[in-house]
Structure formats: C-alpha cells, structure tokens
Amino acid sequence: MPEQSLEVLLDIYNEIWNSGDFPSQWREASIIPIPKAGKNLSDPGNSRPKALTSCICKTFERMVNIRLVWYITADQSGFRKGRSTTNQQIKLETIIREGFIKRQDTVGIVSDLEKAYDITWK
C-alpha cells in the first residue's frame, strides 16, 4: 500500500484501539473445516476449524497480539516462543525449595486445559 494509505489505516487501528469500538463486520467469519491427515472425514472431531476473516482485521489482530505480548510477564510459558512446560517445572521446583528453606507451606494448583475450548460457543 502507498505510505499515505498505511497512515490512514494506522489512524483507523489506533482509533479502534483507543475507543474499544470494534467494527461489527470484523466479527463475522466464514468457518471451513480442515481435515486432519489420515483421519475419518465423516467425524467432525477429525477436522480443525479455520476462520476466514477480513485481511484488514487480521492485520489489526497481529498488531494487538504484538502489543499484548509486550505486557506478558516472565511467568507465562505456555504458548510463548522459546518456552515450554520445563520452564514452569523449574520455577515450581524453585518455589518449593525456597519454601522448605524458609519453613513455609507451598500450595500449587494445576489445571489440565486439554480441549478446554472445544466446549465454547461457536
């Protein structure tokens, strides 16, 4: 796009960001199933949904993602590039060891979120 058009688009994005007024047309998507390799295609659970949305909306989503990732603390390991569950295991072990040294109780809550989003409204 020409520089002037990019500046107009950025102004629109910043207005949406500041006002929180997300265009209703961007909330619409066409959902198409992408079959998983080697699975029975008659079972809907053997496909992944792909949402086709506006390219302008997708660009805005990428910008928002970059802004939000900037705010993520060092405690977040899941879904972060270069991080894994090992990071959290080491952190948990460190917290437990510090609790022992200080003679304090350590409480942990673990949640398995496998397929957590399969039950959300689609």
Side-chain angles (χ1 to χ4, degrees):
M1 293 177 85
E3 186 71 27
Q4 188 175 16
S5 298
L6 291 173
E7 289 176 10
V8 170
L9 190 57
L10 182 59
D11 288 343
I12 293 169
Y13 288 159
N14 284 326
E15 177 61 30
I16 292 168
W17 178 264
N18 291 326
S19 71
D21 188 21
F22 196 77
S24 60
Q25 299 89 343
W26 290 4
R27 298 174 198 264
E28 299 175 9
S30 297
I31 310 296
I32 59 167
I34 305 295
K36 295 178 183 177
K39 300 287 184 173
N40 180 359
L41 300 180
S42 64
D43 181 2
N46 290 333
S47 62
R48 300 177 195 274
K50 182 67 177 175
L52 302 178
T53 58
S54 162
C55 291
I56 294 174
C57 177
K58 285 182 186 250
T59 303
F60 181 71
E61 288 171 351
R62 277 189 228 110
M63 291 175 69
V64 169
N65 184 54
I66 290 167
R67 289 179 183 187
L68 293 178
V69 167
W70 187 82
Y71 288 105
I72 293 176
T73 66
D75 294 338
Q76 177 72 33
S77 289
F79 307 104
R80 299 249 343 248
K81 193 173 188 173
R83 304 262 180 108
S84 70
T85 55
T86 304
N87 296 90
Q88 294 301 79
Q89 290 169 336
I90 293 169
K91 183 172 182 158
L92 178 60
E93 181 184 6
T94 302
I95 291 169
I96 292 169
R97 287 181 185 273
E98 288 173 354
F100 277 130
I101 292 168
K102 295 177 182 178
R103 298 191 182 277
Q104 296 176 336
D105 292 330
T106 302
V107 177
I109 299 172
V110 180
S111 179
D112 182 2
L113 297 177
E114 181 180 349
K115 296 192 176 191
Y117 298 104
D118 288 354
I119 59 171
T120 60
W121 177 82
K122 294 180 174 71

